[in-house]
Amino acid sequence: MKISEQLREKIEEQIATGELPPGSALDEAMLVERYGVSRTPIREALLLLSAEGLIDIRPRRGALVKSPSPIRLIEMFEVMGEVEAMCGRLAARRMDAAERQGLVEAHGACEAARAAADSDAYFYGNERFHMAIYSGSHNGFLQEEAMSLHRRLRPYRRLQLRVRGRLDVSFSEHAAVVQAILAGDGDAAAVALRDHIVVQGERFADLVASLEALK
């Protein structure tokens, strides 16, 4: 992983947990001193965060943290659920044999991380799993939209996986998605993905509690 991507992940988590609340200034010189790197990876990391919608970069004025409210998060996860459902429906119809095998392998990587109780490894396997479905939709525009929203929700999806018991639940939800896609059942794949993504009820309360606990 590039230095800029490592920096992005560190700052992402600080934003998601409230360590860097909305309105916080991200000064390049301060970040250079804090992380002991040159300005180039700092600037690259800030551009990545800006693309995710987590910060605003203002010409000659630096960057400021943006962070969605709980209501905004619910709205974003609702839309993500519908987008992923559409990807799953199309992937079930359009994935070729190699793509289906790639999905199974990504599911296997998640299984290994779950067995090791390694939420970070599961997070990366989870990204690979979802990206395989986006690609398998064979709809370039839909894939771009899915990836854009996925990036914006990335730090919050990562925090979700740290909630007690979430790895086991996520893995079982993935299993239902894989089963539906391999069976070519687009409707079942759409339902399974929507239920997997949408954050509501106890799951949303757990996410908010995890944000508060990490502040």
Side-chain angles (χ1 to χ4, degrees):
M1 185 183 296
K2 294 173 60 178
I3 295 175
S4 58
E5 292 172 342
Q6 294 174 15
L7 291 169
R8 178 193 64 182
E9 290 202 346
K10 290 177 181 178
I11 298 171
E12 268 181 358
E13 179 147 340
Q14 290 174 326
I15 293 172
T17 60
E19 186 178 340
L20 287 172
S24 297
L26 295 176
D27 178 71
E28 281 189 16
M30 177 269 290
L31 294 173
V32 166
E33 182 176 351
R34 174 182 294 180
Y35 295 112
V37 297
S38 69
R39 284 183 180 265
T40 297
I42 293 292
R43 288 171 180 164
E44 290 176 354
L46 292 178
L47 288 173
L48 291 170
L49 292 165
S50 177
E52 292 175 7
L54 292 175
I55 67 171
D56 275 329
I57 298 178
R58 306 162 305 163
R60 297 181 298 279
R61 297 177 62 193
L64 287 179
V65 172
K66 297 191 328 186
S67 188
S69 67
I71 296 299
R72 187 67 167 177
L73 273 179
I74 286 180
E75 292 173 345
M76 292 168 72
F77 274 109
E78 284 180 343
V79 173
M80 187 79 255
E82 295 302 319
V83 169
E84 293 226 4
M86 187 179 297
C87 288
R89 181 179 289 108
L90 294 177
R93 300 204 317 251
R94 298 177 177 178
M95 269 186 164
D96 61 27
E99 289 170 328
R100 291 178 184 226
Q101 181 59 34
L103 180 65
V104 169
E105 291 173 359
H107 186 50
C110 288
E111 182 175 21
R114 177 188 66 94
D118 187 337
S119 64
D120 285 338
Y122 189 96
F123 172 76
Y124 295 116
N126 181 64
E127 287 206 321
R128 179 183 168 195
F129 179 86
H130 286 275
M131 296 300 171
I133 295 171
Y134 303 162
S135 177
S137 72
H138 291 268
N139 182 314
F141 180 77
L142 178 61
Q143 181 179 356
E144 290 169 7
E145 294 301 304
M147 290 177 67
S148 175
L149 191 50
H150 184 102
R151 284 193 297 269
R152 293 186 67 182
L153 285 170
R154 195 171 188 268
Y156 307 101
R157 293 176 80 152
R158 186 169 196 154
L159 278 180
Q160 270 192 296
L161 295 175
R162 298 180 185 176
V163 173
R164 184 176 180 181
R166 180 58 194 158
L167 291 187
D168 290 335
V169 173
S170 176
F171 181 76
S172 67
E173 292 169 349
H174 279 192
V177 172
V178 172
Q179 181 178 1
I181 288 178
L182 294 183
D185 190 337
D187 289 340
V191 170
L193 275 162
R194 185 183 297 111
D195 290 346
H196 174 58
I197 296 299
V198 174
V199 179
Q200 55 191 354
E202 291 182 356
R203 279 181 58 191
F204 186 70
D206 287 342
L207 176 59
V208 171
S210 70
L211 293 176
E212 292 296 325
L214 289 169
K215 285 184 180 180

